Amino acid sequence: MTLAHILGFPRIGKQREIKKALEAYWDKQLDLASLLAIGRQICRENWQLQHTTLDFVTVGDFSWYDHVLDTAAMLGVVPARFATKQISLDVLFQMARGNLTENVIACEMTKWFDTNYHYIVPEIEDSKQFRLSYYELFEAISQAQALGYSVKPVILGPLSFLWLSKCHPIKFDKLSLLDNLMQVYQQIFKQLKALNISWVQVDEPILGLDLPLAWLDGFKKAYGTHHGLNILLTTYFTLFDKIALLNDLAVQGIHLDLTKNCHQLEQLTRDLPNQMILSAGVVDGRNVWKCDLSSCYGQLLKTKEKIQDRLWVASTCSLLHVPVDLTLETTMDPKVKSWLSFAVQKIEEVSALARALNDETPHPLFQISDQCLKMREQSSLIHDPKVKARIAHIEKDMYHRKHPYPKRTKTQKEILNLPLFPTTTIGSFPQTQDLRKLRFEYKKGVILKDEYQAAIAKQIENNIAIQEALDLDVLVHGEAERNDMVEYFAKLLQGYVLSDNGWVQSYGSRLVKPPILFGDVARSSPMTISWINYAQSKTTRPVKGMLTGPITMMRWSFIRDDQDWTITVTQLALALRDEIEDLEKSGIKIIQLDEPAFREGLPLTQKDWPFYLNWAVNAFRLASCVVQDSTQIHTHMCYSEFNDIIESIAQLDADVITIETARSQRELFLALEQFDYPNEIGPGIYDVHSPRVPTIKEMVDHLTNAVKVIPSQRLWVNPDCGLKTRDWAQTKAALSNMVAAAKIMRRSTPS
Ligand code: GLN
Ligand code: ZN
C-alpha cells in the first residue's frame, strides 16, 4: 500500500484561536488551564482531520510558540539567564519574548530557511547541558494514541538543530557537539519505541543546503546505525543532490520536496537504496494552488511501477506555510477560489493521490482538479494581452537612468537644496489605536468613504506639521491609510486577490495574511498620487512618494505557479513604473521604493544567487529608471547582513539607500570599508524596535563613525526603519534628538 501523510499542519486554529489565546494569556486575561485547553482542542481537530483521510496522524508539529524552541527545550538547551531547574511553558515564553520585569533578553529570532516563518535561535552555552528536559512531545503522542490514532511523531533532526543554533563563543565548532547531542536523540528514539511508535519523521531540512564535507560525515555518524525504529528522514525547500549519501545511512525512508526535484524523479527512484521508502512530496506546502492531481498521478504511477509500496505520498513540507481552510473564504471571487487549496484541502489532495495509486482508479477529486485547472489556464482573469505585449516590448534603456549618479546628484542637489546630513524618516508614523479603529470601521462599513478620507487627510496634515516642527528636511506622509505595505498595493493592483482568513504564522502569536497574486499584474489606476500630493500641498519641504518595491511585493505574496517568478516580478515592476512616472509628473521630487525583502529572497544555495540577484536588480531598475535625473530615487532595506550583496545593492543605482544598521552597525561599516558604495546612504542611526529614546550623543557618535566610511556629502540621517510600532511621545523625542545630532554634525563639518 502507498501510504499518505503530511509533514505538519498549521497550529494557529481555524479562527486564529492560538493568537487570541496566547495574547490573552500573556496579558493575564486567561489562565494556564484555559490556554492549554485551547491548544489541545486545536491538536485534536488537526489529528481528527488527518485520521479520517491519511494513514498517519502527525504529532509534534503543534507548538505554543515555535517548534525549534520546543526542540531546544526538549534537548535541555536553555541559556543560563533563564535559570531554571524545571522547563515549563512560561520558561519557553520567556526565551521567546524576554522578561521585561527582570531585564532578561529574549533569544534571537530569525527566518526559517527562505520562508517568512521565524524560529527562535537555540543558544548552546555548554555541550554538557544536553539532557532530555521537556516532555511535551511524549505527552502529545500519548494523548493522540489514547484517541486511537496511528501516530507518526515529528522531530527536528540533530544536524539541522546544530546548524540552526548559535554557540558561545561564536567561532566554536558546533559539529563537535554531535556525539553528545546524539545521546539525547538516542534516548528520544528509545522513548518513542517504548510508546510503540513505528515511524518517526526526522526533519533535516539542511540536507538541501551547500554542506561542508564534515557535516555530510555528521549525517553518516548520526544516521549510520539503526535506532530501533523506522526513521523517515525529510528534506524540503531545495533540490536534493546528495542521493549517494543515502547508501551510508541506516534510515528506512527519505522524504523529498518534488516541486524542486520532479525532473530527477526517475534517477531518484533508480538510485534509491533497496528497501528504502520514498515519501514523495507532491502537494505544495508553500503555495495555495490546487494540485494538478492527474499529472502528479501520472508521475507517481511510473514511480510506483518501479518501487511499488515503497512509494508514499505527502505534502512537500509542513503545511505551516499555507492558510488553514479555504471554505472560510466567503467573499473571494468564486472563480479564483476554485483554483485554490489551503491546508485542509491539501490533505484531501494527498489522500486522493494515495487512494488512486492503491485502487488504480482515479478519485472523484481528480475530475474537479482537471476542470478547475483548465478553467484557470484559459481564464481571462489571468491573461491580459496588454501586459504580455508590454513585457515583450521592454527596451534595454528602460533599465537605465538617463545619466550616472555623479551627474544626477548635481541636478538633484540644485533642486532639493538640502543641507549636509539631510534628515528623513523611513515612511510610517505611529499606528495609533485610533487609526486602527478608523480603518477597521471603514472596512466594516461603519463609517463612509468621505468621513474616512477626511480623517486620513487630517492625520497627514498633522504628520506634516509635526515633521516641520521637528525641522526634518525630507518629509513623509506617514502611511496612515495603509494597514500593510504589501496588502495596500495588492488591493489596488489588477491580478491580485485578498483573502479574509488566509492567515499564516510568522512567529509566535504574530500572523500574516499574504495577498494572492493569481494573474497578469497591472495598475488599473493611480495608487498613491492623491495622498502624496495632498501631503506635498501642505509643505514647501520635499515629501517622499512611498511605494513597496517589486521584490518585496512578490516575496510577501503567494505568487502564481503557472509562470516563472521572473515574469511575475517584471510585471510588478512595470506596474510600479507607471506609478512612479505619475508621481514624478505630479511634481513629487523624491520617490522611495521599499525593498525590505530584497536580502531574504536570496536562494538557499549559493550557486543560484547570481540569477536571483540579476533579476531582482533588474526589476528594481525597471520600476525606478523611468524618472528624470532630477528626481531622486530612494530605497530602504532592513535586514542586517548586507555584506555579501553590497555590490548588488549598489547596482540598484538608487540615489539614496536608507538601511537598517542600528543593531549591527559594525558589520555594515566593515562592508563599506571594503567596498566603496558609490551613491548616498543613510545607515539607520537608531533602533525603531526599541521603546528607548536614544540620546543626542549616541547619535552623534554613530554619525562620527559613519563619516569614517561614507563621505559626509553622501550621508543621510534617519532611523533604521518605519516608526509605526512606536508611540508619538517616543517618536517625537527620538526624532528631535536625531535632528539635533545632524545639526551638530553640520556645524563641525566644513561644507
Ligand atoms: N516604508 C515602510 C515603513 O516605514 C517600510 C517598512 C519596512 O521596511 N518593513 O513602515
Ligand atoms: Zn525597514
Side-chain angles (χ1 to χ4, degrees):
M1 268 247 301
T2 284
L3 302 187
H5 72 126
I6 54 167
L7 266 49
F9 196 80
R11 49 223 183 189
I12 57 178
K14 279 195 177 176
Q15 304 288 349
R16 293 182 281 157
E17 290 87 344
I18 204 75
K19 175 187 180 65
K20 293 168 202 161
L22 281 174
E23 286 170 3
Y25 177 71
W26 295 333
D27 230 15
K28 304 209 179 341
Q29 303 297 315
L30 189 77
D31 60 23
L32 183 62
S34 313
L35 175 69
L36 294 181
I38 290 166
R40 300 272 183 257
Q41 180 59 25
I42 294 176
C43 285
R44 270 198 297 271
E45 279 171 25
N46 294 353
W47 294 341
Q48 179 61 23
L49 202 63
Q50 295 173 63
H51 172 67
T52 49
T53 36
L54 305 173
D55 294 291
F56 291 112
V57 165
T58 306
V59 174
D61 55 345
F62 178 81
S63 176
W64 297 100
Y65 200 100
D66 163 47
H67 58 275
V68 181
L69 176 65
D70 297 344
T71 312
M74 178 159 73
L75 300 170
V77 179
V78 176
R81 65 180 183 280
F82 302 98
T84 174
K85 292 239 152 33
Q86 191 73 38
I87 302 177
S88 65
L89 197 52
D90 287 324
V91 174
L92 262 68
F93 290 150
Q94 288 197 9
M95 287 166 72
R97 310 173 67 232
N99 184 340
L100 277 181
T101 42
E102 282 167 39
N103 223 350
V104 176
I105 50 167
C107 297
E108 249 174 59
M109 186 170 73
T110 194
K111 289 205 178 241
W112 176 248
F113 298 87
D114 60 349
T115 73
N116 270 329
Y117 177 78
H118 300 71
Y119 71 93
I120 302 291
V121 181
E123 285 175 41
I124 303 175
E125 289 174 333
D126 172 4
S127 67
K128 288 182 215 70
Q129 79 190 117
F130 299 137
R131 184 175 312 119
L132 191 52
S133 309
Y134 187 62
Y135 301 89
E136 174 98 2
L137 174 69
F138 307 109
E139 284 161 25
I141 293 171
S142 303
Q143 283 167 21
Q145 286 176 330
L147 294 166
Y149 300 148
S150 159
V151 172
K152 175 205 61 179
V154 49
I155 56 174
L156 181 61
L159 286 131
S160 294
F161 178 80
L162 278 181
W163 184 273
L164 299 172
S165 301
K166 194 170 117 171
C167 272
H168 302 283
I170 216 99
K171 290 265 179 279
F172 189 80
D173 172 23
K174 293 190 277 190
L175 199 55
S176 67
L177 303 175
L178 184 62
D179 285 341
N180 277 347
L181 187 61
M182 277 319 288
Q183 290 176 12
V184 188
Y185 271 90
Q186 264 142 16
Q187 257 176 289
I188 295 172
F189 292 136
K190 218 183 242 164
Q191 293 233 18
L192 293 178
K193 204 172 167 220
L195 285 165
N196 277 326
I197 293 300
S198 86
W199 279 94
V200 56
Q201 170 189 328
V202 183
D203 285 350
E204 287 285 12
I206 67 160
L207 264 177
L209 306 183
D210 305 319
L211 289 182
L213 270 180
W215 283 77
L216 286 177
D217 284 340
F219 273 92
K220 295 179 195 167
K221 229 188 230 175
Y223 300 100
T225 50
H226 201 286
H227 288 297
L229 75 177
N230 295 315
I231 290 183
L232 175 69
L233 202 61
T234 75
T235 166
Y236 34 84
F237 303 152
T238 48
L239 190 81
F240 181 68
D241 55 3
K242 304 177 181 70
I243 275 271
L245 174 72
L246 296 180
N247 290 313
D248 294 321
L249 309 186
V251 299
Q252 289 64 43
I254 177 85
H255 167 92
L256 300 176
D257 177 341
L258 287 189
T259 55
K260 307 283 179 192
N261 292 279
C262 162
H263 59 284
Q264 46 164 15
L265 190 57
E266 246 194 85
Q267 191 211 336
L268 283 170
T269 38
R270 204 182 45 232
D271 298 348
L272 191 73
N274 286 337
Q275 315 300 328
M276 202 179 272
I277 296 282
L278 172 66
S279 162
V282 284
V283 172
D284 194 351
R286 289 284 294 272
N287 213 335
V288 290
W289 306 104
K290 262 202 172 83
C291 177
D292 183 348
L293 292 176
S294 298
S295 125
C296 272
Y297 176 69
Q299 271 190 343
L300 292 173
L301 198 61
K302 273 192 252 159
T303 312
K304 179 138 185 171
E305 276 158 15
K306 294 196 192 101
I307 61 172
Q308 279 91 39
D309 289 350
R310 283 159 59 214
L311 176 69
W312 291 7
V313 184
S315 58
T316 55
C317 57
S318 167
L319 300 177
L320 174 70
H321 310 289
V322 292
V324 181
D325 187 359
L326 186 65
T327 60
L328 298 176
E329 297 304 320
T330 49
T331 61
M332 191 183 281
D333 181 328
K335 285 209 192 75
V336 178
K337 185 177 163 186
S338 76
W339 306 331
L340 303 179
S341 160
F342 291 176
V344 169
Q345 291 69 39
K346 283 173 188 285
I347 286 189
E348 287 159 13
E349 292 176 336
V350 171
S351 159
L353 282 167
R355 284 191 208 175
L357 286 166
N358 290 329
D359 303 348
E360 285 169 25
T361 50
H363 188 276
L365 212 56
F366 279 50
Q367 208 186 342
I368 302 175
S369 151
D370 287 346
Q371 274 170 3
C372 292
L373 269 152
K374 197 154 177 199
M375 272 170 39
R376 180 177 164 206
E377 224 172 271
Q378 297 165 353
S379 172
S380 60
L381 288 177
I382 290 188
H383 302 288
D384 181 342
K386 283 204 289 301
V387 175
K388 296 196 202 301
R390 211 173 158 199
I391 297 246
H393 290 102
I394 295 177
E395 305 282 342
K396 268 213 173 107
D397 64 0
M398 290 165 76
Y399 292 101
H400 297 275
R401 297 288 294 268
K402 311 273 176 299
H403 291 98
Y405 166 79
K407 178 144 186 219
R408 297 195 307 259
T409 184
K410 284 198 190 112
T411 320
Q412 290 165 16
K413 286 208 157 114
E414 269 163 33
I415 291 182
L416 294 170
N417 200 18
L418 298 171
L420 266 186
F421 303 100
T423 52
T424 190
T425 61
I426 306 305
S428 59
F429 275 129
Q431 296 268 334
T432 55
Q433 208 59 44
D434 287 352
L435 254 183
R436 270 194 278 264
K437 188 165 153 243
L438 178 75
R439 272 200 309 264
F440 182 77
E441 288 182 344
Y442 177 50
K443 198 175 156 197
K444 294 281 167 227
V446 180
I447 55 167
L448 298 177
K449 193 169 180 185
D450 285 353
E451 198 183 331
Y452 170 74
Q453 292 200 324
I456 295 286
K458 182 104 204 349
Q459 183 66 51
I460 290 177
E461 215 177 315
N462 270 339
N463 291 346
I464 295 291
I466 291 168
Q467 294 172 85
E468 285 199 331
L470 286 164
D471 203 13
L472 285 154
D473 300 306
V474 171
L475 313 193
V476 295
H477 76 300
E479 303 179 23
E481 77 288 13
R482 304 180 190 175
N483 53 340
D484 177 276
M485 65 186 292
V486 172
E487 188 176 281
Y488 178 78
F489 291 98
K491 197 169 175 183
L492 297 170
L493 285 167
Q494 167 198 312
Y496 263 110
V497 71
L498 305 186
S499 66
D500 292 326
N501 251 300
W503 296 98
V504 177
Q505 190 175 25
S506 171
Y507 63 85
S509 68
R510 193 69 87 91
L511 314 181
V512 292
K513 190 155 65 65
I516 298 166
L517 190 163
F518 66 89
D520 287 341
V521 174
R523 190 188 68 146
S524 338
S525 52
M527 303 184 284
T528 61
I529 313 288
S530 62
W531 288 133
I532 301 294
N533 280 334
Y534 182 74
Q536 185 64 83
S537 74
K538 299 289 166 198
T539 178
T540 53
R541 303 181 191 218
V543 172
K544 288 194 268 191
M546 193 59 66
L547 303 169
T548 303
I551 297 292
T552 302
M553 285 300 297
M554 176 181 75
R555 290 280 315 161
W556 292 353
S557 305
F558 286 116
I559 60 165
R560 45 200 293 196
D561 61 350
D562 61 343
Q563 76 182 12
D564 205 76
W565 68 267
T566 55
I567 303 176
T568 302
V569 83
T570 307
Q571 291 183 358
L572 282 163
L574 286 173
L576 288 162
R577 185 176 169 100
D578 294 344
E579 185 74 6
I580 293 172
E581 191 174 12
D582 282 352
L583 276 168
E584 181 182 57
K585 272 197 203 130
S586 76
I588 297 301
K589 303 271 182 297
I590 305 183
I591 300 166
Q592 176 171 316
L593 263 169
D594 288 325
E595 284 291 22
F598 188 85
R599 170 69 172 74
E600 67 176 53
L602 275 180
L604 292 170
T605 39
Q606 210 148 358
K607 68 172 184 344
D608 301 318
W609 283 20
F611 182 83
Y612 164 79
L613 286 169
N614 184 34
W615 277 95
V617 166
N618 278 340
F620 185 92
R621 292 172 65 132
L622 182 60
S624 61
C625 286
V626 64
V627 296
Q628 304 302 315
D629 284 351
S630 53
T631 299
Q632 191 170 66
I633 294 289
H634 287 216
T635 187
H636 163 71
M637 291 185 192
C638 42
Y639 193 100
S640 43
E641 293 161 34
F642 298 109
N643 303 23
D644 41 9
I645 57 161
I646 189 109
E647 291 179 37
S648 298
I649 295 179
Q651 281 167 17
L652 297 177
D653 201 23
D655 298 297
V656 182
I657 180 168
T658 54
I659 207 161
E660 182 221 294
T661 45
R663 280 181 291 183
S664 61
Q665 195 204 117
R666 267 202 30 238
E667 274 147 51
L668 180 77
F669 290 174
L670 271 175
L672 293 174
E673 268 167 32
Q674 270 144 40
F675 175 76
D676 188 13
Y677 185 79
N679 302 2
E680 288 158 57
I681 181 165
I685 64 166
Y686 77 87
D687 177 6
V688 300
H689 294 104
S690 156
R692 202 176 72 83
V693 174
T695 63
I696 300 177
K697 173 159 186 318
E698 271 170 58
M699 292 199 264
V700 168
D701 288 348
H702 193 110
L703 288 167
T704 312
N705 283 332
V707 285
K708 292 181 194 147
V709 285
I710 307 156
S712 48
Q713 278 72 18
R714 290 199 266 120
L715 189 61
W716 283 65
V717 180
N718 46 265
D720 71 354
C721 194
L723 295 158
K724 68 171 162 222
T725 55
R726 295 277 60 82
D727 66 26
W728 270 113
Q730 292 156 359
T731 299
K732 285 185 191 166
L735 290 178
S736 163
N737 286 356
M738 185 184 91
V739 171
K743 288 181 179 166
I744 292 174
M745 293 303 290
R746 280 172 207 158
R747 265 181 256 129
S748 61
T749 310
S751 53

